[in-house]
Amino acid sequence: MMGPYEIAQRLNVSRQRFQQLARYPTFPKPYQELRGMKVWLAEDIEDWIAKYRQPRPTDED
C-alpha cells in the first residue's frame, strides 16, 4: 500500500500536485481510508503510471 507521500515521491511531484492528480477521473480510487488518510494499492498506482504518465526526458535525451 502507498500513502500520499509515497505516491508523490514515486511520481516525482509535490504533495499538492499529487492531490490534484488524485482528483482526476482516471486516477485509481483509494483502497482504504485509515484514520483520515487514504491509501492506495501499489499495483493500482503502478498501472496508472504505466498507462497515463509519459516518461520524462533524461539528461541523455
Side-chain angles (χ1 to χ4, degrees):
M1 285 193 261
M2 300 174 80
Y5 179 77
E6 291 85 8
I7 296 170
Q9 283 189 316
R10 175 65 180 88
L11 295 171
N12 195 30
V13 298
S14 68
R15 290 187 359 203
Q16 292 81 9
R17 177 65 178 142
F18 161 72
Q19 293 297 331
Q20 292 172 339
L21 294 171
R23 289 193 289 269
Y24 283 19
T26 59
F27 200 81
K29 299 295 180 215
Y31 174 70
Q32 199 168 33
E33 189 167 335
L34 307 170
R35 293 187 182 186
M37 184 178 85
K38 296 175 183 176
V39 292
W40 288 257
L41 293 175
E43 180 179 333
D44 291 347
I45 297 302
E46 293 300 328
D47 289 346
W48 183 84
I49 290 170
K51 188 172 182 179
Y52 293 102
R53 295 289 285 191
Q54 296 296 319
R56 293 185 179 213
T58 63
D59 291 338
E60 297 171 9
D61 289 342

